[in-house]
Amino acid sequence: MILKHLLLGFSFGLSMSIISWMVGMIGNSLLLKTSYYEKLSYLNFIPKKSTNKAIGIDQFRWLVKNTFFRFLNQAIKVEGKQTDLKSIRHQMTLAEVSHLIEFIFVTLAAGYQVLNVSLVFGLMMMIPNVILNLYPTLLQQENKRRIDLMLQRQKSM
């Protein structure tokens, strides 16, 4: 029974995480029209670079840059020195908030499954959710911090 919940929970979590991308886009477009969106632009869950490194954000960045994931959001691409960093930062904020909405959506679904199916099922749902929704949020936050530093350097010149 536990093996069944492990496999079904993981596959259901993977499906929910991919489906949640549509929920995130819709939720983000609705949230974009509110006054709270500017505050969301400066979210920073993990401020220390060492913590990001410890949880594997560098490996996740490599995975995004070197697999098919690099084709998913072409608006976030630094081409050279003439790239508009403010535009890139805005696109990163859009992606970050979408992934955060997606993470919350799947987390609520996993919580519901914990109550109705089993703890193992719900926890297994969270594995793909963390990889496909939380890690992209954390990666965007780190990248935005790097862009903010470059923008500060440009202002001081």
Side-chain angles (χ1 to χ4, degrees):
M1 188 68 158
I2 263 201
L3 181 62
K4 178 181 172 185
H5 284 206
L6 285 170
L7 295 173
L8 287 176
F10 184 82
S11 62
F12 188 67
L14 182 61
S15 300
M16 283 292 295
S17 294
I18 292 171
I19 290 168
S20 74
W21 293 347
M22 292 304 281
V23 173
M25 285 188 250
I26 293 167
N28 193 29
S29 65
L30 294 173
L31 198 59
L32 188 60
K33 298 174 182 166
T34 67
S35 60
Y36 300 108
Y37 204 80
E38 181 64 27
K39 293 176 186 169
L40 293 175
S41 176
Y42 294 97
L43 286 176
N44 196 10
F45 297 137
I46 301 176
K48 290 184 178 182
K49 190 168 179 65
S50 61
T51 306
N52 275 337
K53 191 175 184 90
I55 64 170
I57 293 295
D58 289 340
Q59 289 81 4
F60 186 76
R61 177 184 293 116
W62 182 91
L63 184 75
V64 170
K65 285 171 58 175
N66 296 301
T67 63
F68 70 93
F69 288 113
R70 72 175 175 255
F71 299 114
L72 292 181
N73 195 346
Q74 292 294 306
I76 302 175
K77 192 176 252 185
V78 177
E79 296 293 334
K81 292 186 179 191
Q82 301 303 330
T83 304
D84 181 13
L85 293 178
K86 288 183 182 178
S87 173
I88 297 287
R89 190 185 191 289
H90 177 71
Q91 291 298 323
M92 285 181 175
T93 300
L94 293 174
E96 172 194 0
V97 172
S98 288
H99 280 293
L100 186 57
I101 291 168
E102 297 156 13
F103 179 74
I104 292 168
F105 175 75
V106 177
T107 300
L108 292 174
Y112 178 79
Q113 295 299 340
V114 164
L115 296 174
N116 290 305
V117 180
S118 76
L119 177 64
V120 173
F121 191 94
L123 290 176
M124 288 307 293
M125 281 181 66
M126 289 303 293
I127 293 172
N129 187 29
V130 166
I131 295 168
L132 295 174
N133 292 323
L134 182 61
Y135 268 49
T137 298
L138 298 175
L139 179 61
Q140 296 303 343
Q141 287 179 359
E142 183 176 318
N143 288 339
K144 284 190 328 182
R145 286 192 299 270
R146 292 170 47 211
I147 285 182
D148 288 342
L149 286 173
M150 289 194 288
L151 287 170
Q152 282 179 340
R153 287 183 199 143
Q154 283 180 352
K155 277 185 184 178
S156 65
M157 288 184 178

